[in-house]
Amino acid sequence: MSDTKTPALRLNGAVLLQQLRELGEIGTDPVAGGRTRVALTDDEKAGRDQVVAWMRALDLDVQIDRIGNIFGTLPSATKDASGEVPRPLMMGSHIDTVVNAGALDGCYGVLGGLAVVRAFRDAGIAPSRPITVAAFTNEEGARFHPDMMGSLVHAGGLSVDEALDAIGTDGARLGDELARIGYAGDMAPGMLVPHEYLELHIEQGPILEAEGLEIGVVENLQGISWQQITVQGNANHAGTTPTRLRHDAGYVASATVTELRRIAVESGTTLATVGTMKFEPGVINVIARRAVFTVDMRDPSEARLAESEARLADFLTKIAQAEGVRISTERLARFTPVVFNAELADVIEACVKRRGLSYKRMTSGAGHDAQMIARIAPAAMIFVPSRGGISHNPREHTDDDQLVRGAEVLLDVVAQRLGVSQ
């Protein structure tokens, strides 16, 4: 008598790891040791082409929207009560990188999603609702602002026309670059509204490794405030101008860095970073007439983030008056904190427990596409450890067994949400 029992879902960890290695080879720098696939460059196009090829190898329905987001969908076996195809369960992340990056940031979420779909294909199981794997455009924001652009447009937080008109750091227009690399799709952004969204990611921080834990169940994500601050003072001779008569843009910028550390320490939760700073004229014996620098502030509490922003604004007003300089600020990005779906977080925790893995519920310090998709659908994230907390760096590393375990948890969650017994 033949056995008609449905085959169990099994994750092919070897294929996942091999695809991570292959994608990680695209855009590599043999000297620096990392890889660079900045959004919509030729190297990122090569990465996109590879991901699309893997989607087609799984016989997925591949669609590309006007902002270049890539969606590969495994069709469902059923329709809903109204005869319509149910909304998809979506997984995803991004494959663009910063300059000289590691191999895992973003890519792990996309290829982990493909690994889940592969498990369904290998078992011959048609899901009860479609499963979509997404690769969102320009998550890093290394070339075009804002970051997380593709998912933001998908969620309706930025118009597609405004995004297409974004000018990159190299002067290129985003829409023109999409067309140049062949990823200016015709689907309207937001057409594929997920029923639920899951994102698998490396932590990019030190907490899980430091505490000897295997999985992070991400409950919330910090709010992010990006500003560019310009200080206009007066250039003058460094040896002949008394301190009391200076209007020193360099001093004001440096004093602001010190004040930001004070704000962060006193708040207890706010993180503040000055990532770029430039003085003009940039001569050793000339007082800086101009300083331009960026400020990145983050906090899981909207109230505390807003308070820290207000403290910075107040400080800038006072020091401008005291030092006789002009200060202007430009907001580059502002995202409120996100609380992920509690039910999905509970399901992730239950699946982790069933596997006997160590874990903690935690906050994400970095921004992710999931925070944008959470605007339109229940969303949650799964973290695996990052060695040394290092990311955006060629030394970014997570052990192979940790990567496979995280993807297995993702598969368990998807199976549970789609009613497939494991």
Side-chain angles (χ1 to χ4, degrees), residues 381-404:
M381 295 189 70
I382 301 166
F383 276 175
V384 294
S386 295
R387 180 181 294 175
I390 295 170
S391 186
H392 286 184
N393 185 303
R395 293 187 294 122
E396 177 182 275
H397 177 83
T398 300
D399 290 344
D400 286 353
D401 60 338
Q402 295 172 327
L403 292 169
V404 172

Side-chain angles (χ1 to χ4, degrees), residues 81-388:
S82 63
E84 299 294 324
V85 175
R87 286 188 293 146
L89 188 157
M90 185 179 290
M91 300 168 286
S93 196
H94 63 98
I95 67 161
D96 66 305
T97 73
V98 297
V99 175
N100 202 30
L104 300 174
D105 177 7
C107 302
Y108 178 46
V110 175
L111 300 182
L114 289 184
V116 169
V117 171
R118 186 174 300 107
F120 275 80
R121 283 298 196 203
D122 290 347
I125 298 174
S128 57
R129 68 172 60 249
I131 302 176
T132 296
V133 179
F136 291 107
T137 295
N138 188 45
E139 193 272 351
E140 294 291 2
R143 186 183 185 195
F144 300 98
H145 291 158
D147 58 344
M148 297 172 281
M149 181 187 284
S151 53
L152 179 62
V153 171
H154 184 77
L158 178 69
S159 77
V160 65
D161 289 333
E162 184 177 352
L164 292 174
D165 283 336
I167 302 300
T169 56
D170 56 357
R173 178 178 174 272
L174 187 143
D176 295 337
E177 289 297 272
L178 270 177
R180 183 185 68 82
I181 67 169
Y183 280 88
D186 54 10
M187 184 173 74
M191 287 292 291
L192 287 176
V193 178
H195 173 71
E196 293 173 332
Y197 178 82
L198 298 165
E199 185 164 347
L200 178 64
H201 214 282
I202 59 171
E203 181 192 350
Q204 299 182 277
I207 295 173
L208 292 176
E209 183 187 51
E211 298 185 16
L213 301 174
E214 296 166 293
I215 298 291
V217 180
V218 185
E219 294 185 297
N220 61 332
L221 193 146
Q222 295 190 110
I224 301 174
S225 170
W226 282 4
Q227 298 179 63
Q228 179 171 281
I229 299 175
T230 301
V231 183
Q232 189 67 50
N234 292 333
N236 218 326
H237 196 292
T240 64
T241 311
T243 299
R244 61 184 168 78
L245 297 180
R246 296 184 178 208
H247 306 287
D248 186 345
Y251 164 71
V252 172
S254 302
T256 304
V257 175
T258 301
E259 179 64 17
L260 282 165
R261 174 58 62 91
R262 181 179 296 110
I263 290 171
V265 170
E266 292 179 0
S267 82
T269 55
T270 296
L271 301 175
T273 304
V274 174
T276 67
M277 183 178 287
K278 181 180 179 181
F279 293 161
E280 296 177 5
V283 179
I284 191 171
N285 60 350
V286 178
I287 297 165
R289 68 167 175 265
R290 191 169 187 262
V292 180
F293 58 101
T294 57
V295 175
D296 177 317
M297 302 179 79
R298 306 186 186 213
D299 200 292
S301 163
E302 172 61 26
R304 288 192 296 268
L305 181 59
E307 180 182 357
S308 295
E309 290 175 311
R311 282 191 59 179
L312 172 60
D314 183 60
F315 174 82
L316 293 175
T317 298
K318 290 177 179 177
I319 198 169
Q321 183 177 8
E323 297 297 323
V325 299
R326 300 191 308 277
I327 298 178
S328 60
T329 62
E330 178 187 358
R331 174 167 285 179
L332 301 178
R334 180 59 161 85
F335 301 120
T336 58
V338 171
V339 177
F340 287 128
N341 182 265
E343 181 181 345
L344 282 177
D346 288 344
V347 171
I348 294 169
E349 181 178 19
C351 290
V352 172
K353 285 181 175 179
R354 278 198 297 272
R355 284 191 173 268
L357 303 176
S358 58
Y359 73 97
K360 74 175 299 177
R361 287 180 174 254
M362 63 188 300
T363 296
S364 171
H368 298 288
D369 292 308
Q371 77 187 80
M372 301 306 169
I373 305 305
R375 300 179 177 202
I376 59 173
M381 295 189 70
I382 301 166
F383 276 175
V384 294
S386 295
R387 180 181 294 175

